[in-house]
Amino acid sequence: MNHPVKIKNALVSVYYKDGLAPLVELLNKYGVTFYSTGGTETFIKDLGIDVVPVEDLTSYPSILGGRVKTLHPKVFGGILARRPLESDQQQLAQYEIPEIDLVIVDLYPFEETVASGASEQDIIEKIDIGGISLIRAAAKNFNDVVIISSKNDYKELEEILANQEGNTSLEQRKEFAKRAFNTSSHYDTAIFNYFNQENPLQVFKQSEQKAQVLRYGENPHQKGIFFGDLDKMFDKLNGKELSYNNLVDVDAAVALIDEFTEPTFAILKHTNACGVASRSTIKQAWLDALACDPVSAFGGVLITNGQVDAATAEEINKLFFEVLIAPSYSEEAIAILTAKKNRIILVRKEVTLPGQQFKTLLNGVILQDKDNTIEGPEQMVTVTQVQPTAEQLEDLYFANKIVKHTKSNTIVFAKNGTLLASGVGQTSRVDALKQAIEKAISFGFDLKGCAMASDAFFPFPDCVEIASGAGIAAVLQPGGSIKDQLSIDMANEKGISMVTTGVRHFKH
């Protein structure tokens, strides 16, 4: 064993005590002396095991309402002393400081206290000082000291000691030190981000403790990991694990469906909607969303904002799909949808999503606020002689919701609460428009009288002219081009209405 260390003395002071008893009892079996404080001291005594109060070691009581208990040279000296260094050993002897070979410490629940909506005073009191210092000190001196900073590691240390007769190896102590520094850095990140909400410093700090290794990344030759807590977001009723591409599509699907309050179904492929419909029932919304583009729907991600009943499930069951997301399902629907083992069925939970998004870029990270703006009829300014009807304004609103979540450059056609077609991710807006027209025609949709939304302004009047020729009756665009008037004049010439919103919705 590489540099084995037998544990003689242990400092134990934890907030969470579940799972601790078997480890303490094993350490006691190996003759370990325990030093402890407060509730942990009582916990150990209740096990019938002798324990030395830290106050007896330091000759100082816990003071300042418990803010200062372990912050003392007799504690930190015993942890940080370099065992092979003669001068350190002389000072330990001079000041009667015992070597502390094991530190079991966790931290006050800062994040949980913030999440509970507690007062600022309560939150500040949950900023751990002694615990974080003990963790760092023990981890720094991993050459001679074991640090356990999480209840999740109790069992592993117990197994190591049982298998190695109370000894630990250097490699094992270094592994625990790595985990401890992860604990401390995550904790400090949470505290910093709490303080950094008002007049924030322009720095980037994120820490996510939960990770899920994916089968692979975007392609099989790429590794992929999801950092986050999917269990808070979804209950999985059926199917294989979500892949990297599944997760990207699910994220896009959730963002899109949250634009709608009326019963709506959406079908997405590669983050773009290929079918969306709002109806009085979820079943009808599904049928009409599928009719938008049944070819692209194959293998897609499906999402709705209402309960999936048996009748709807029977219809969905006719299609091969990757993922289905809904807030709830009837028991009959679950039985129908889970008959095929690989399809992923998710129940979406109520979770507050982050207000910002970021990704790696070049040699850094780019961060922005999420696009949480959507302009309804009240924000639409008519700029043409022809006024849009109330129905057209609603169609423009519907189209604008979809265009916001479609890859730029994009054009979206909609009518009567239904996506008819879209042109997505094109290098020119004219190409996006032509693609949308071609798709609509290929599925037999009549564009006469329908609404069209664009994610950005028209630099030239050609899009308006082409749209008019296809039968478009109302157009929405953000406006802002120095040549806006050319498009307005074309709309007036063709007798169609145009509204501007003043808000661009690029999605790169």
Side-chain angles (χ1 to χ4, degrees), residues 288-478:
D288 291 343
L290 179 61
C292 296
D293 185 349
V295 174
S296 295
F298 183 85
V301 170
L302 323 178
I303 190 165
T304 182
N305 56 7
Q307 185 183 65
V308 174
D309 58 18
T312 308
E314 289 283 8
E315 294 296 333
I316 296 172
N317 201 43
K318 298 174 183 177
L319 178 76
F320 169 76
F321 62 88
E322 286 278 342
V323 185
L324 171 61
I325 310 162
S328 62
Y329 304 82
S330 71
E331 289 299 322
E332 297 88 348
I334 292 173
I336 294 166
L337 294 166
T338 57
K340 297 180 181 179
K341 65 178 183 178
N342 284 333
R343 57 169 53 151
I344 301 166
I345 310 297
L346 302 176
V347 178
R348 184 182 173 188
K349 302 178 186 178
E350 288 292 331
V351 175
T352 300
L353 296 173
Q356 293 182 315
Q357 54 191 175
F358 59 88
K359 62 180 178 180
T360 58
L361 195 78
L362 300 175
N363 62 342
V365 172
I366 191 167
L367 177 145
Q368 67 171 353
D369 294 333
K370 284 186 176 178
D371 184 359
N372 290 324
T373 299
I374 189 64
E375 312 76 54
E378 62 275 13
Q379 286 86 39
M380 297 176 190
V381 178
T382 303
V383 293
T384 50
Q385 296 164 1
V386 177
Q387 297 283 321
T389 65
E391 291 79 9
Q392 287 171 343
L393 286 172
E394 285 301 316
D395 285 338
L396 290 170
Y397 183 31
F398 182 90
N400 199 30
K401 292 177 180 180
I402 300 171
V403 90
K404 170 183 166 182
H405 296 278
T406 307
K407 187 77 73 175
S408 300
N409 287 321
T410 182
I411 294 289
V412 166
F413 297 148
K415 190 173 184 180
N416 298 329
T418 308
L419 169 65
L420 298 187
S422 59
V424 303
Q426 298 302 302
T427 52
S428 82
R429 201 154 302 279
V430 170
D431 286 345
L433 174 57
K434 289 179 177 178
Q435 183 190 59
I437 292 171
E438 183 178 342
K439 288 200 74 173
I441 292 172
S442 70
F443 290 109
F445 290 114
D446 183 2
L447 296 178
K448 185 176 181 181
C450 87
M452 178 180 100
S454 171
D455 62 324
F457 61 63
F458 301 121
F460 304 102
D462 45 7
C463 279
V464 179
E465 184 175 18
I466 296 168
S468 173
I472 304 301
V475 175
L476 176 147
Q477 58 135 329

Side-chain angles (χ1 to χ4, degrees), residues 88-306:
D88 282 12
Q89 289 297 324
Q90 290 174 355
Q91 289 185 320
L92 290 180
Q94 179 182 356
Y95 297 109
E96 299 180 339
I97 300 173
E99 292 179 348
I100 297 175
D101 316 296
L102 168 64
V103 175
I104 304 176
V105 176
D106 59 12
L107 301 170
Y108 292 151
F110 178 83
E111 289 178 280
E112 294 89 336
T113 305
V114 172
S116 73
S119 67
E120 181 172 84
Q121 180 178 352
D122 289 339
I123 291 170
I124 298 305
E125 286 305 313
K126 289 298 185 290
I127 298 176
D128 207 312
I129 304 300
I132 201 82
S133 301
L134 290 167
I135 287 172
R136 289 176 62 84
K140 176 177 180 176
N141 203 23
F142 67 87
N143 193 66
D144 300 298
V145 179
V146 181
I147 173 62
I148 299 296
S149 58
S150 169
K151 62 182 180 181
N152 297 328
D153 292 332
Y154 293 168
K155 188 66 178 175
E156 183 174 348
L157 179 60
E158 186 183 340
E159 292 172 354
I160 287 172
L161 296 177
N163 292 331
Q164 298 171 189
E165 299 182 350
N167 288 281
T168 60
S169 69
L170 179 62
E171 292 84 354
Q172 290 162 346
R173 294 191 298 277
K174 193 170 185 179
E175 173 63 27
F176 284 128
K178 178 177 68 177
R179 298 179 195 180
F181 283 124
N182 174 50
T183 296
S184 64
S185 65
H186 177 80
Y187 195 76
D188 285 339
T189 296
I191 294 170
F192 170 77
N193 285 336
Y194 171 77
F195 279 92
N196 202 41
Q197 296 176 82
E198 297 181 15
N199 302 315
L201 299 175
Q202 298 304 303
V203 297
F204 180 81
K205 292 183 187 292
Q206 290 289 330
S207 178
E208 178 53 60
Q209 295 287 70
K210 292 202 170 184
Q212 179 177 328
V213 177
L214 306 174
R215 295 194 302 274
Y216 49 80
E218 207 162 9
N219 298 289
H221 62 277
Q222 296 169 267
K223 293 181 180 179
I225 304 174
F226 173 77
F227 292 96
D229 190 352
L230 285 177
D231 291 337
K232 280 188 177 180
M233 186 86 190
F234 305 107
D235 284 329
K236 184 158 74 73
L237 304 182
N238 190 70
K240 56 190 178 182
E241 293 301 317
L242 287 159
S243 69
Y244 181 100
N245 292 332
N246 288 155
L247 288 167
V248 173
D249 284 331
V250 166
D251 176 70
V254 166
L256 174 59
I257 204 68
D258 282 352
E259 299 288 354
F260 301 91
T261 55
E262 60 275 27
T264 301
F265 229 113
I267 306 168
L268 289 87
K269 285 289 288 289
H270 306 297
T271 76
N272 294 308
C274 57
V276 185
S278 296
R279 294 293 184 268
S280 59
T281 68
I282 293 298
K283 177 183 176 182
Q284 196 58 51
W286 162 252
L287 292 171
D288 291 343
L290 179 61
C292 296
D293 185 349
V295 174
S296 295
F298 183 85
V301 170
L302 323 178
I303 190 165
T304 182
N305 56 7

Side-chain angles (χ1 to χ4, degrees), residues 9-13 33-37 44 51-54 57 98 100:
N9 301 304
L11 174 64
V12 187
S13 182
T33 298
F34 294 97
Y35 297 89
S36 192
T37 64
I44 296 173
V51 56
V52 179
V54 166
L57 172 65
I100 297 175

